[in-house]
Amino acid sequence: MPNLLVSALAGIPEILPEDDLAKLIGNAAAVAPEGICDGDILVVTSKIVSKAEGRHVNAANREDAITAETVRLVASRKHPGGLTRIVENRQGLVLAAAGVDNSNTPNGTVLLLPENPDASAHRLCVALRARFGVTLGVILSDTLGRPWREGQTDAAIGAAGLRVLEDYRGTRDAHGNLLSASAAAVADEIAGAADLVKGKASGRPVALVRGLGHLVLADLGGSEPHSTARSLVRPAEIDMFRLGSDEAYAQGFADGQAAASLLEPSESKISR
C-alpha cells in the first residue's frame, strides 16, 4: 500500500531579513529523525521566506498596503469591522487582502508575500539539493480561502523541482471511461497536508513530505509545463467566476448602459 509521511521540522529560529533560509532549513533537516532522501518534498510557509527577503514595509494603515499590492478587485464586502477585499495581487494570486499580513510582525509594519514565490522556491531547491546531494522538491505555502467552502486551507503559491498538477485528461479509468476534466492540483494538496503538522503558531514553519517521489523532477522542471505554482492560476479566458456577484452585476449594468448610449434615439429601448 502507498504510504505518506508528513512531519514538521524542529529547530528553525525566528527569521530575520537577509537570513540564509536555505542554510537554516538545511540545518533543521540534517538533524531530523527522518533525514533527507531522494523524492522528498519540503513545504515552507511563505511567511518565513518573506521575512528572509525583507518584505516588511512600513504601513500605518494595512488597507493602504493592500491597495498598493492590488492589480484587480474581484469582490468586496462590508462587515462590522471594516471591509473585506478579495483581489488579484502582483503575484497573480486571487486571495483576501492581497496576502498582506499584519500578524507576527513589528508594530507599524506589514509583511508582503515574496515578490516572486516560484523564484524563491527555485533558489531554496537548488541550495538544498546541492547541500544534501538528493533530488527533492520545494513548495511555498500560504493560507487561502475557497469559494463555496467555509474555512481556509494552505495552498502552493511557489514551487520548484516537482510536478504541481497531475493531469489525467485523455486517460481512462478502471472501467474504460475516458477522463476529460480530471486534473489534481497535487501541490495544493501537499501544502494542505503539511499545514496539518506545521500548525499556525507552533514555531515549525517547514514540513517534510515523503512518499510522493513520482512527482519530483530531476531537472527542476525545465521540460515540465506544470512545474511552477503560477501554472496553477486559471487563465482569465476560462475563469467562469472572475468576479464576485455584486461586481459582476455592476459591470454588466455598466456595459449595458454603455451599449445603450451608442444606439440611435429611435433604436433605444430604454424609457426616459
Side-chain angles (χ1 to χ4, degrees), residues 54-211:
R55 295 286 283 165
H56 286 102
V57 296
N58 294 322
N61 187 334
R62 180 177 179 236
E63 294 301 316
D64 292 341
I66 294 170
T67 299
E69 290 298 298
T70 296
V71 299
R72 178 173 65 90
L73 176 67
V74 175
S76 62
R77 296 292 184 275
K78 291 182 179 179
H79 58 84
L83 181 71
T84 295
R85 285 185 282 173
I86 308 299
V87 306
E88 179 184 341
N89 68 6
R90 296 177 183 273
Q91 291 81 2
L93 299 166
V94 174
L95 71 175
V100 175
D101 194 347
N102 62 349
S103 63
N104 197 26
T105 63
N107 290 334
T109 68
V110 296
L111 193 64
L112 309 182
L113 291 178
E115 188 172 358
N116 186 332
D118 283 322
S120 298
H122 187 274
R123 288 191 292 271
L124 285 173
C125 194
V126 168
L128 291 166
R129 285 187 177 199
R131 174 167 177 172
F132 292 104
V134 299
T135 302
L136 55 79
V138 171
I139 291 173
L140 302 193
S141 68
D142 196 46
T143 303
L144 304 181
R146 289 100 29 90
W148 314 299
R149 306 284 288 180
E150 289 290 345
Q152 298 83 34
T153 183
D154 267 28
I157 68 166
L162 74 154
R163 188 166 60 254
V164 301
L165 188 77
E166 280 275 61
D167 194 346
Y168 301 108
R169 291 171 292 187
T171 65
R172 295 185 180 275
D173 65 15
H175 298 282
N177 300 309
L178 182 65
L179 302 178
S180 59
S182 298
V186 289
D188 288 343
E189 293 177 324
I190 295 167
D195 188 52
L196 294 175
V197 299
K198 290 187 298 176
K200 298 300 182 187
S202 64
R204 296 193 175 192
V206 180
L208 170 70
V209 178
R210 179 170 295 164

Side-chain angles (χ1 to χ4, degrees), residues 3 5 25 30 44 49 59 75 123-124 132 139 147 151 161 166 169 177 179 221 232 247 255 261:
N3 290 300
L5 167 71
I25 293 173
V44 182
V49 179
R123 288 191 292 271
L124 285 173
F132 292 104
I139 291 173
E166 280 275 61
R169 291 171 292 187
N177 300 309
L179 302 178
L232 292 173
E247 290 72 22
D255 289 346
S261 69

